[in-house]
Amino acid sequence: MSEMDPREHHQRRYPPRARRRFDDEAQDAAFHREEWEDSYLPVSDDAGYDTSAYGYVPLEEPEPVSDGDLLDGTENYDGYYDDVLEADAYAEAPSAGGYEPGGVEAVYERTRPHLDRQAPPPRRNAHRRKQRRRRTAVLLGVAALVLILAAVSVHYLGGIRQLVSGAADYDGRGSGEVTVTIPEGASGRDIAQILHKEDVVASAQAFENAFSGSSLAKGIQAGTYTLHKKMAASEALAMLLNPASKADLTITIPEGFTAKQVHDRLVSVGNFSDAEVEAAMKDTTAIGLPAEANGNLEGWLAPDTYTIGPSDKPADLLKQMVSLTISRLDKAGVAAADREKVLIKGSIIEREVNKDEYYPKVARVVENRLAGDSQTHGLLQMDSTVLYGVGQTGGIPSAEQLKQDTPYNTYLHKGLPPTPIGAVGLKAIEAVVHPAEGNWLYYVTVNLGTGETKFASTLAEHDANAKELRQYCADNPTVCK
């Protein structure tokens, strides 16, 4: 090989366009041996290339120049460059004191299909890494957009649905007043139809959108409400969730309430007239009083809380009370023929007991005393019945009251009184049906403040317990009046 500048020698032997193919294997081997020997370094342990085939790697990796330099028509070259600027075809090698081939040949060496290398070209790896980074960036962008859309507040969901559905809706809180009644078990669609019919909302769909977009909407209670006309659906929903919007009243009948007390509460709370309530109580057929009641409402007006709608009459409420008592008796398995007797016993228990735990025990005392024990002789001797007979509902009967002969004085008359003495709840009914086991004949509340009650099987035990009550009353005279 003659002495000449390495660059000139390379250009003469391998013109740019002639370097696309090296068909001659001998020439190819000579090329590697003579021209590229110093352009490769032995592969180090951490170089990342497979050395089993050739054991060398290029000193430098040339950068691509332009699309025009792609290998045209060379399928196996995968789009790598064959035409590299001559100035870039050599890399400085200060250790060699001049220029050495390191550009075009390196490209050629990496793109030769017949070398059958085991590792992909470094340039190809870099290209793929760039593609993966671009794909990852796109996916992250899409994910971020999805998260932003998912974070839209539920408050605006109804508005979005309305926009999509094109449902008509009013603006603002409306004006005027209108009364609407929401029946028990009404769905969001049912309520929407009711509001639209009364012109509270512009369209049923607008309210359905607001209803489905609120997690609180299912809390709307049945009842009568005072709303405005021409309201935005969201405003109508808010008013239905506000207890202050309810136009109907509620009335509570406690356990032990007498028919007279129920009468007075319907007048005072229900705003009915005395004449209306009195007439309704006399019409026992209209209110569904069963035959076994013998025309007497006492004990059949179930204790509970009732809703009074704007159009409700006293007879409507009384009918609900009677119906609830019948359903409770049926639930406890009481036959129709035994209803009145169960209610009489239950009404006594309601007036005698002040704690739930004592219901079954007092029920057992009633049964034991009615059995005609030699100590009681079949006398119930209940203060509550004596007081009912004299028109009193609480306290302790006086000596004069205990002597007063009324059908309800169980100190004088054996057995049960003729009628119940007050409203009977489910707990008392169940206690009558399932009394506790025991041989008690007496009981007395020894502390009216806490309701502590003591039970006894003998008169001596009872006298000792009664002494505790007398001491309590001496210490708390105002409580025992």
Side-chain angles (χ1 to χ4, degrees):
M1 183 181 297
S2 60
E3 294 291 334
M4 66 175 60
D5 181 71
R7 180 179 300 184
E8 181 180 354
H9 173 79
H10 180 75
Q11 289 174 344
R12 289 182 179 181
R13 187 170 180 178
Y14 302 107
R17 305 307 298 179
R19 288 194 291 273
R20 290 189 178 181
R21 293 282 191 275
F22 288 87
D23 298 326
D24 189 295
E25 294 183 1
Q27 186 182 37
D28 179 57
F31 176 83
H32 280 280
R33 181 177 62 255
E34 296 177 8
E35 301 294 331
W36 284 35
E37 185 173 357
D38 295 329
S39 296
Y40 289 78
L41 295 176
V43 177
S44 62
D45 293 337
D46 58 352
Y49 291 90
D50 186 343
T51 63
S52 61
Y54 42 87
Y56 293 94
V57 295
L59 286 174
E60 283 190 28
E61 180 182 346
E63 292 295 327
V65 178
S66 67
D67 294 339
D69 293 326
L70 291 175
L71 287 171
D72 300 326
T74 309
E75 296 179 358
N76 292 328
Y77 283 21
D78 294 327
Y80 285 90
Y81 307 101
D82 68 330
D83 290 341
V84 181
L85 294 177
E86 291 300 324
D88 296 329
Y90 293 82
E92 288 191 35
S95 60
Y99 294 95
E100 296 177 2
V104 173
E105 289 81 4
V107 174
Y108 170 76
E109 179 67 14
R110 288 195 303 275
T111 56
R112 285 180 63 216
H114 61 272
L115 283 181
D116 190 23
R117 297 191 172 192
Q118 299 182 27
R123 171 62 64 188
R124 181 178 299 176
N125 288 341
H127 179 67
R128 289 177 177 174
R129 284 195 298 271
K130 289 180 182 179
Q131 287 183 325
R132 286 197 296 270
R133 285 196 294 269
R134 283 195 293 268
R135 287 196 297 269
T136 301
V138 172
L139 291 175
L140 289 176
V142 172
L145 179 60
V146 171
L147 289 175
I148 292 173
L149 293 176
V152 176
S153 172
V154 174
H155 176 75
Y156 298 101
L157 188 57
I160 294 174
R161 289 175 176 167
Q162 178 181 322
L163 181 63
V164 173
S165 65
D169 197 5
Y170 293 128
D171 292 326
R173 300 182 177 181
S175 60
E177 284 191 357
V178 59
T179 300
V180 296
T181 300
I182 307 301
E184 194 73 38
S187 65
R189 178 166 296 181
D190 296 332
I191 298 173
Q193 295 294 337
I194 293 170
L195 298 182
H196 182 230
K197 181 178 179 181
E198 298 295 335
D199 196 28
V200 174
V201 296
S203 66
Q205 187 61 54
F207 184 82
E208 285 189 52
N209 293 340
F211 186 95
S212 60
S214 171
S215 60
L216 301 176
K218 292 184 179 179
I220 296 176
Q221 299 180 354
T224 302
Y225 296 82
T226 299
L227 305 177
H228 306 303
K229 284 184 174 290
K230 301 185 185 304
M231 301 182 70
S234 59
E235 294 289 344
L237 175 63
M239 286 196 73
L240 288 174
L241 291 170
N242 186 353
S245 301
K246 296 199 75 173
D248 43 23
L249 302 173
T250 58
I251 182 172
T252 299
I253 306 301
E255 286 83 356
F257 245 39
T258 65
K260 184 180 185 307
Q261 288 175 307
V262 174
H263 171 283
D264 295 342
R265 182 151 294 190
L266 286 173
V267 172
S268 62
V269 178
N271 297 320
F272 300 115
S273 69
D274 184 82
E276 287 179 306
V277 177
E278 188 69 30
M281 285 187 161
K282 289 180 178 179
D283 192 355
T284 57
T285 301
I287 63 178
L289 190 67
E292 54 268 22
N294 299 314
N296 192 323
L297 272 178
E298 198 68 86
W300 289 89
L301 303 177
D304 211 319
T305 298
Y306 302 90
T307 299
I308 305 175
S311 61
D312 284 341
K313 304 298 181 184
D316 299 322
L317 296 171
L318 294 172
K319 186 174 183 178
Q320 289 183 54
M321 296 177 191
V322 172
S323 176
L324 181 55
T325 294
I326 294 174
S327 68
R328 286 173 175 172
L329 289 166
D330 292 343
K331 181 178 181 180
V334 178
D338 297 326
R339 287 173 177 173
E340 182 76 358
K341 184 183 293 185
V342 169
L343 290 179
I344 293 174
K345 294 178 180 179
S347 67
I348 294 173
I349 295 171
E350 291 285 18
R351 297 291 291 275
E352 294 283 334
V353 173
N354 50 29
K355 286 188 175 181
D356 289 356
E357 61 188 280
Y358 299 138
Y359 275 89
K361 297 180 76 172
V362 173
R364 173 51 62 188
V365 171
V366 170
E367 296 298 331
N368 289 344
R369 294 184 75 92
L370 290 175
D373 185 271
S374 59
Q375 296 186 65
T376 63
H377 306 289
L379 293 170
L380 285 178
Q381 296 179 323
M382 299 291 179
D383 290 350
S384 58
T385 62
V386 173
L387 292 171
Y388 180 84
V390 298
Q392 191 173 323
T393 57
I396 298 175
S398 64
E400 290 78 13
Q401 290 174 329
L402 289 173
K403 295 176 183 178
Q404 191 170 343
D405 190 356
T406 72
Y408 295 90
N409 190 332
T410 54
Y411 282 85
L412 300 178
H413 303 284
K414 294 181 179 181
L416 293 171
T419 69
I421 63 173
V424 186
L426 182 59
K427 290 191 297 290
I429 293 173
E430 291 179 338
V432 172
V433 176
H434 304 289
E437 292 298 326
N439 57 356
W440 311 291
L441 293 171
Y442 309 92
Y443 62 88
V444 61
T445 300
V446 298
N447 188 315
L448 301 184
T450 64
E452 180 185 1
T453 301
K454 292 188 175 181
F455 293 79
S457 301
T458 66
L459 184 58
E461 292 175 343
H462 177 64
D463 286 342
N465 295 335
K467 186 177 180 180
E468 285 190 43
L469 174 60
R470 288 192 294 271
Q471 183 59 51
Y472 174 86
C473 288
D475 296 336
N476 304 276
T478 57
V479 178
C480 296
K481 279 186 178 181

